[in-house]
Amino acid sequence: MSKGYEYSDQEYAAGGNGSVVDAIYHKAKAPMDVGNPYIEALPYPLTDIGEVARYYTYGLNQYDVAEKQLSRLDRRFLVNQIRTVRVALPFEQELEMEFYRTLCDSYRLRKPREVYEDGVKRIKLVGDVSEAANTGFNMLGFSGCGKSSAIKILVSRYPQVIRHHIDGEVYSQIVYLTISCQPNSNFSALYSGIGKAIDFALNTDIYQKQIDRIKTLAGKMNKVIELIELFAIGTIILDEIQLIDFKTTKESSFEALMVITNETKMAFCAVGTTEAYVKMFKEQRTARRLGREINASGYCGNEKFFSYVMSQLFCYQWFDEHIDLTEELVEAFYEESKGIIDQAVSLYIAVQDEYLKSNRKSISPEFIAAVSKRRYPNLKLLLERASEPGVQEQIEKIMRGSKEQYEHELSEAKQQEVMQHLVQNAAEIDISSLIRRTIASIQQVVGSMYDEKQIEKACKDIASGTEASSIDSGSFIQQVFSMLQTGKAKKSTQDRRTKRKSHKDMLQSILDET
């Protein structure tokens, strides 16, 4: 493929999963990459710490301190918004660099080749089998330390599909695929997931079906290799690898990832817990070949950084009055969460929720500990043993159970409020229903002669001081109609020369039918 394109100072307007753009080229910083369209079409990574911090930090744009005036129940439904808050984490600058390096290495080791299939010319990006295999990265750490969220923000800067218009031809480049491993999944499901992700990127419904029709794992693997070459896939990110069923998946299946990398020179990137990674690649030589390690939970032991994280979270409060973040409160949150951001966020939400459920006016370290013990039983002890085999699965089970219980309690509280409202306002609800029926019956007879406000006023005048349950619907509607006709309610200015008797007769017939 010749260099049939020009450089630009523009940037991509869209990125993330499902985004498709026409290529914008920037001159490569490495001389060896100049003229390589697959590299020169990539966005540059964020290298400045300030840029990374700004891009990976999200607040609540719609947050309003006036929400403190809402009822406590309504505020309980708002607290969960805190889950959308993102605080930049120390490993994210390294993630930016490693992701860009992985893509560049992937596209350096492969060359475009023209092939003809069924008389149609295609461009495949083919690796040189004599070259050493490319390596991606492995982002490992405790569950809840922010790995998946960081990946989502990272890829939002990169268009998923880039279309190259060169020498009158159009070539598609899939920059990345993100595969979220499913609970108890195996390699057949993984290959199917790759096909599904390609379909999503290209807005097709073809490639998952092609892979699923193949019976053997070897056949599925070869199909994946073909698609990697055909669509110039830069890297495949395997997220939540701890969900793979390691008991039924053989070591040879994981070795297939290395076969794909050797054949295509495209690298895989693994994201998950250290325990899962060790199970995935029992032999260190295999693990090293997959890529470099990014320690995503290294920040968890730094209490000073944790204090910064909590200060960002405390910007969003639904307490009755603003509560200042003290060192004692920071220490209490750290003691219960061990600095893991998801546990800290979940506990902060739980503390506000328990506060709003009760008649409390403040929070204390003792209250935080009590909430943690009630909402997340045994979690504190498990976090102290987080690196031991099997512990991460127990932590995730506790967090899931707590989330389900929280959602159940909110639903119960809302239903209790609705039931109380229905009981207390039964009379008002009954009369409102009667007014709606009266409006419908009268307008069915006279059309727009009387508008809804006129009829409603007449209804309320007649019903005033009377229990709704003692009102006969048919007599009530007749009384309202008579009031409107005798002029005690303001009449419409429309022509009302129609005989009143016929209106009454029509209304009576409607009432008889009902």
Side-chain angles (χ1 to χ4, degrees):
M1 185 187 299
S2 62
K3 181 181 175 304
Y5 56 87
E6 295 183 354
Y7 297 128
S8 171
D9 58 358
Q10 298 181 8
E11 301 292 342
Y12 294 117
N17 289 328
S19 58
V20 181
V21 301
D22 289 325
I24 297 174
Y25 303 99
H26 300 97
K27 187 174 182 179
K29 295 186 176 182
M32 73 178 76
D33 297 330
V34 173
N36 186 327
Y38 297 101
I39 292 177
E40 295 193 309
L42 298 174
Y44 289 137
L46 298 178
T47 56
D48 179 76
I49 295 176
E51 284 184 328
V52 174
R54 285 189 293 274
Y55 195 81
Y56 283 78
T57 300
Y58 293 169
L60 291 179
N61 295 330
Q62 303 300 317
Y63 175 74
D64 187 347
V65 292
E67 292 171 356
K68 293 178 183 291
Q69 306 305 317
L70 297 172
S71 71
R72 284 198 164 201
L73 179 59
D74 286 339
R75 280 182 276 162
R76 287 182 67 191
F77 279 89
L78 296 175
V79 170
N80 206 47
Q81 294 178 84
I82 296 174
R83 290 208 177 277
T84 65
V85 173
R86 293 288 176 265
V87 180
L89 299 173
F91 64 84
E92 287 163 342
Q93 184 187 35
E94 184 181 4
L95 175 62
E96 280 277 336
M97 297 300 296
E98 282 299 307
F99 185 66
Y100 185 74
R101 176 200 61 78
T102 298
L103 292 174
C104 288
D105 285 350
S106 174
Y107 291 124
R108 284 186 191 121
L109 297 173
R110 300 151 76 186
K111 302 296 181 185
R113 177 182 298 170
E114 292 184 0
V115 296
Y116 288 85
E117 296 178 355
D118 299 325
V120 178
K121 186 176 80 169
R122 295 178 178 271
I123 297 293
K124 285 189 174 183
L125 204 58
V126 180
D128 185 346
V129 293
S130 65
E131 294 280 356
N134 183 22
T135 58
F137 62 81
N138 311 306
M139 186 160 63
L140 309 176
F142 301 139
S143 291
C145 67
K147 303 180 296 296
S148 295
S149 296
I151 289 293
K152 184 177 180 180
I153 298 172
L154 168 73
V155 301
S156 70
R157 292 188 53 248
Y158 287 79
Q160 187 168 31
V161 179
I162 298 176
R163 290 188 302 242
H164 299 269
H165 301 263
I166 300 176
D167 298 335
E169 303 284 351
V170 180
Y171 312 100
S172 291
Q173 170 188 4
I174 297 180
V175 178
Y176 65 88
L177 296 175
T178 303
I179 312 298
S180 293
C181 300
Q182 300 303 308
N184 303 314
S185 57
N186 53 29
F187 257 67
S188 180
L190 179 62
Y191 290 138
S192 179
I194 291 174
K196 182 178 180 180
I198 293 173
D199 280 328
F200 182 81
L202 299 175
N203 195 26
T204 59
D205 186 25
I206 300 171
Y207 302 105
Q208 182 180 19
K209 292 178 179 177
Q210 288 183 354
I211 292 173
D212 288 346
R213 280 196 293 266
I214 301 171
K215 301 300 182 183
T216 66
L217 284 180
K220 293 176 186 289
M221 180 191 72
N222 288 330
K223 185 63 181 180
V224 168
I225 289 173
E226 177 188 328
L227 295 174
I228 290 171
E229 294 178 340
L230 180 60
F231 296 116
I233 299 174
T235 188
I236 297 178
I237 303 169
L238 305 179
D239 194 13
E240 303 285 3
I241 59 172
Q242 66 271 16
L243 298 180
I244 295 175
D245 185 355
F246 295 102
K247 294 179 181 178
T248 60
T249 305
K250 298 178 181 178
E251 175 76 6
S252 58
S253 297
F254 297 112
E255 289 279 357
L257 299 181
M258 301 304 102
V259 174
I260 294 173
T261 296
N262 287 332
E263 288 286 326
T264 65
K265 309 308 175 190
M266 182 219 71
F268 285 91
C269 301
V271 180
T273 64
T274 303
E275 179 188 354
Y277 188 71
V278 171
K279 289 181 181 178
M280 196 170 182
F281 301 106
K282 294 183 175 64
E283 296 187 26
Q284 285 300 308
R285 64 177 182 83
T286 306
R288 285 194 298 270
R289 285 166 60 195
L290 190 62
R292 308 173 189 181
E293 181 177 335
I294 299 174
N295 180 7
S297 52
Y299 70 88
C300 296
N302 190 311
E303 293 188 40
K304 187 174 182 180
F305 180 76
F306 182 77
S307 179
Y308 161 74
V309 171
M310 291 307 303
S311 71
Q312 298 300 299
L313 296 179
F314 259 66
C315 292
Y316 310 104
Q317 302 185 8
W318 286 269
F319 302 115
D320 291 339
E321 301 293 338
H322 180 81
I323 293 179
D324 293 327
L325 179 64
T326 64
E327 289 186 11
E328 291 75 18
L329 292 180
V330 172
E331 289 174 4
F333 276 105
Y334 184 82
E335 179 65 21
E336 300 299 328
S337 68
K338 301 307 175 188
I340 301 173
I341 195 163
D342 185 58
Q343 273 73 27
V345 169
S346 297
L347 180 56
Y348 182 51
I349 291 172
V351 165
Q352 293 205 53
D353 187 60
E354 292 287 341
Y355 167 97
L356 293 169
K357 282 169 57 179
S358 64
N359 293 318
R360 297 187 66 89
K361 298 299 181 184
S362 63
I363 63 173
S364 64
E366 295 75 19
F367 179 64
I368 293 169
V371 171
S372 178
K373 185 176 182 180
R374 189 182 93 77
R375 291 289 188 97
Y376 311 104
N378 301 318
L379 179 63
K380 182 179 176 181
L381 295 175
L382 289 172
L383 290 175
E384 293 173 352
R385 301 165 41 222
S387 58
E388 296 180 15
V391 170
Q392 287 296 316
E393 293 178 9
Q394 296 178 58
I395 291 173
E396 290 175 7
K397 184 177 180 180
I398 290 174
M399 297 303 291
R400 283 196 303 272
S402 176
K403 181 181 178 183
E404 291 169 0
Q405 180 64 25
Y406 167 71
E407 292 171 349
H408 174 73
E409 288 183 4
L410 278 184
S411 176
E412 286 278 302
K414 194 63 179 177
Q415 290 189 37
Q416 287 291 336
E417 183 188 51
V418 172
M419 285 190 288
Q420 186 177 3
H421 176 82
L422 292 174
V423 171
Q424 291 178 347
N425 299 276
E428 183 181 336
I429 293 169
D430 287 345
I431 198 67
S432 296
S433 176
L434 180 58
I435 289 172
R436 287 196 301 273
R437 294 199 304 274
T438 302
I439 291 172
S441 295
I442 291 176
Q443 288 190 336
Q444 186 175 349
V445 173
V446 299
S448 58
M449 179 180 291
Y450 305 111
D451 61 32
E452 289 189 11
K453 289 185 178 179
Q454 289 175 284
I455 302 173
E456 183 177 356
K457 184 178 184 305
C459 288
K460 289 180 177 178
D461 288 344
I462 293 174
S464 178
T466 307
E467 287 286 338
S469 58
S470 66
I471 297 175
D472 176 72
S473 176
S475 298
F476 179 80
I477 294 174
Q478 288 284 14
Q479 290 178 54
V480 171
F481 188 59
S482 295
M483 175 178 279
L484 290 168
Q485 286 193 308
T486 57
K488 291 181 180 179
K490 186 178 179 181
K491 295 182 179 181
S492 168
T493 57
Q494 293 183 19
D495 184 10
R496 291 188 293 271
R497 288 176 291 182
T498 307
K499 291 182 180 180
R500 293 180 181 177
K501 185 177 180 181
S502 64
H503 281 165
K504 287 184 177 180
D505 292 341
M506 291 169 65
L507 182 61
Q508 186 60 53
S509 67
I510 291 172
L511 293 175
D512 291 341
E513 290 176 4
T514 59

